[in-house]
Amino acid sequence: MRAPPTSLAPRRAALAAAAVAAAIGAAVPAAPALALEPLSDGALSNVRGRDGVSFDLNGFAMSGDARVTYTTALGASVYVDHFAAARSDNPLPFSDPYRLDIVPGAPGLADVIKLAFPLNANGEQRWQFAYDWGVNADGVARGNGSVVMSDVVMSGGGLQFSTPQVNDGVAFGAALRLDVGQLALRPRGRDYSGEQMAFSGIHLGGVDANGNFNQTPWAIADVAAQPAVINALTDETGPRLHIGIDWPDGRYGTGAAPAGGLLIDNISFSSPGQPTVDLGSSRIGSMQIQYLDIKFRR
């Protein structure tokens, strides 16, 4: 038994409708492609990124034998080498990263590159640092031992970078809240603690009007309110490296330099076979940087 033949009428109707639609589409001119338009400097300055970059240093460690030397015009020099650093962390990588952003500057000023440090509210991110140092002067070359910093905790704060308001160079700001378990000067090397000068329990941060720590970073410099700068200045002897912090600028802040405090829980000296000399604690309740101007001699 054979199936009845399928009617061709519906297919022919569909083909005819498609042909008519194609003819109509061909008769209508296509919309012209949009051309690129030049933007003025003002329009370009309004184009801003929405996202920054976050990065984590969970479990970071480094060491090496690189040396950095500063030599004076008279030939004397000081160096640091064999730098080592390591960080311990909380068990959740990337839970409290560094953040790098480009943000608008104060009115009339350039944009700012902002590096925000981790908040580290529980103090779980702890750094360990060590380096050796020495001098070469008056015909004497001597290694002077090591500097060791243990349990360094940075909580909040960060760095800013921008264009200086005057002159060339790099303007920068810095805010820091720092706690250090111990800073030790060890003349016999980083691994020998039997002879050392130790500063234990160092605390640096912002303070209130009464000189009490207020659990905030100390703004040592700010790119708008009190900018710091690093550049090269030229005088009658030639170019010199210059590092400075300007006076507080009331146009972009309160006009007063932020106050910070410093506390050292204990200062001590120890030597083999000798009793430890304990100098007790030391504190600066409130301090400010009103102006700083450092020029390195050639």
Side-chain angles (χ1 to χ4, degrees), residues 128-199:
Q128 319 296 326
F129 298 106
Y131 63 87
D132 302 334
W133 72 287
V135 296
N136 188 341
D138 299 326
V140 177
R142 181 181 298 276
N144 290 321
S146 304
V147 177
V148 179
M149 299 177 67
S150 58
D151 291 334
V152 179
V153 177
M154 291 181 285
S155 305
L159 300 173
Q160 304 166 310
F161 301 95
S162 189
T163 303
Q165 299 181 35
V166 295
N167 297 324
D168 295 326
V170 177
F172 66 94
L176 190 63
R177 180 184 170 198
L178 180 69
D179 297 280
V180 181
Q182 187 181 81
L183 168 62
L185 309 179
R186 297 177 177 174
R188 298 192 183 185
R190 65 186 66 185
D191 296 325
Y192 184 71
S193 60
E195 185 169 13
Q196 66 177 14
M197 177 181 181
F199 301 85

Side-chain angles (χ1 to χ4, degrees), residues 89-107:
D89 293 273
N90 60 40
L92 299 175
F94 229 90
S95 60
D96 191 8
Y98 293 81
R99 290 179 170 84
L100 181 65
D101 295 281
I102 298 178
V103 299

Side-chain angles (χ1 to χ4, degrees), residues 8-264:
L8 297 178
R11 293 185 181 180
R12 291 173 179 171
L15 291 174
V20 172
I24 295 175
V28 177
L34 296 178
L36 296 177
E37 297 181 4
L39 295 178
S40 65
D41 291 342
L44 287 173
S45 66
N46 291 325
V47 177
R48 303 187 185 278
R50 297 295 182 183
D51 297 320
V53 176
S54 296
F55 60 94
D56 195 12
L57 298 178
N58 191 284
F60 175 88
M62 65 164 287
S63 62
D65 57 1
R67 172 177 290 192
V68 178
T69 303
Y70 173 72
T71 303
T72 69
L74 300 178
S77 63
V78 59
Y79 68 85
V80 295
D81 62 8
H82 291 89
F83 185 82
R87 196 182 88 166
S88 56
D89 293 273
N90 60 40
L92 299 175
F94 229 90
S95 60
D96 191 8
Y98 293 81
R99 290 179 170 84
L100 181 65
D101 295 281
I102 298 178
V103 299
L109 300 182
D111 288 351
V112 177
I113 300 174
K114 180 180 178 181
L115 174 61
F117 295 161
L119 296 178
N120 201 15
N122 297 323
E124 295 175 308
Q125 298 180 6
R126 294 176 177 265
W127 287 92
Q128 319 296 326
F129 298 106
Y131 63 87
D132 302 334
W133 72 287
V135 296
N136 188 341
D138 299 326
V140 177
R142 181 181 298 276
N144 290 321
S146 304
V147 177
V148 179
M149 299 177 67
S150 58
D151 291 334
V152 179
V153 177
M154 291 181 285
S155 305
L159 300 173
Q160 304 166 310
F161 301 95
S162 189
T163 303
Q165 299 181 35
V166 295
N167 297 324
D168 295 326
V170 177
F172 66 94
L176 190 63
R177 180 184 170 198
L178 180 69
D179 297 280
V180 181
Q182 187 181 81
L183 168 62
L185 309 179
R186 297 177 177 174
R188 298 192 183 185
R190 65 186 66 185
D191 296 325
Y192 184 71
S193 60
E195 185 169 13
Q196 66 177 14
M197 177 181 181
F199 301 85
S200 301
I202 302 173
H203 311 281
L204 177 70
V207 296
D208 60 22
N210 296 318
N212 299 314
F213 287 109
N214 55 17
Q215 312 306 313
T216 64
W218 177 29
I220 301 171
D222 181 90
V223 290
Q226 192 179 14
V229 66
I230 179 169
N231 56 12
L233 297 180
T234 302
D235 57 18
E236 63 277 3
T237 64
R240 293 188 180 188
L241 178 63
H242 169 246
I243 300 175
I245 299 178
D246 208 347
W247 295 99
D249 191 340
R251 296 175 300 170
Y252 305 110
T254 63
L262 174 65
L263 170 64
I264 303 175

